[in-house]
Amino acid sequence: MELDRFHRGEREYLESLVRSHGHIVLKVARRFGEDEDHTLDLIQETWIQVLEKRTTFKGSGAFEAWLHRVATRVSSSTLDRARAALPAGLLDDPLAT
């Protein structure tokens, strides 16, 4: 990993990371995505977050692990927001009453 190029946000380098590591983001997004459109939205939002948070990656650990954490955080926070938008009690256990 060329950390300086990543931190500077060099377009060509970032594009190469999308090509070489996109499968990691795709795997996470497919796990959380409700359908193809939602999955694509999660992929796009993950790469936006990678671009915005790129300077927080210090290179001490594996880039793949950092990328997986970003993708998981983006995907799970989207799921949490969707659940919060549901009417109260909708997800309650119907057998508990």
Side-chain angles (χ1 to χ4, degrees), residues 2-55:
E2 297 180 45
L3 198 55
D4 289 341
R5 293 181 72 194
F6 180 59
H7 283 173
R8 286 193 304 269
E10 288 185 18
R11 182 183 181 102
E12 298 81 19
Y13 190 69
L14 295 173
E15 288 173 352
S16 73
L17 289 176
V18 171
R19 284 190 301 274
S20 62
H21 294 81
H23 65 280
I24 296 169
V25 176
L26 177 62
K27 183 177 178 179
V28 173
R30 280 186 175 159
R31 195 173 71 225
F32 285 90
E34 297 169 5
D35 56 31
E36 185 177 349
D37 287 338
H38 186 227
T39 299
L40 292 174
D41 288 344
L42 293 174
I43 292 168
Q44 181 176 4
E45 184 59 32
T46 296
W47 286 111
I48 289 169
Q49 287 299 307
V50 166
L51 183 60
E52 290 178 357
K53 305 290 186 186
R54 69 186 182 276
T55 58

Side-chain angles (χ1 to χ4, degrees), residues 24-25 28 46 50 56-58 60-76:
I24 296 169
V25 176
V28 173
T46 296
V50 166
T56 67
F57 178 68
K58 303 301 181 194
S60 56
F63 175 74
E64 294 81 2
W66 181 83
L67 178 61
H68 190 276
R69 282 191 305 275
V70 172
T72 302
R73 215 171 23 250
V74 166
S75 297
S76 65

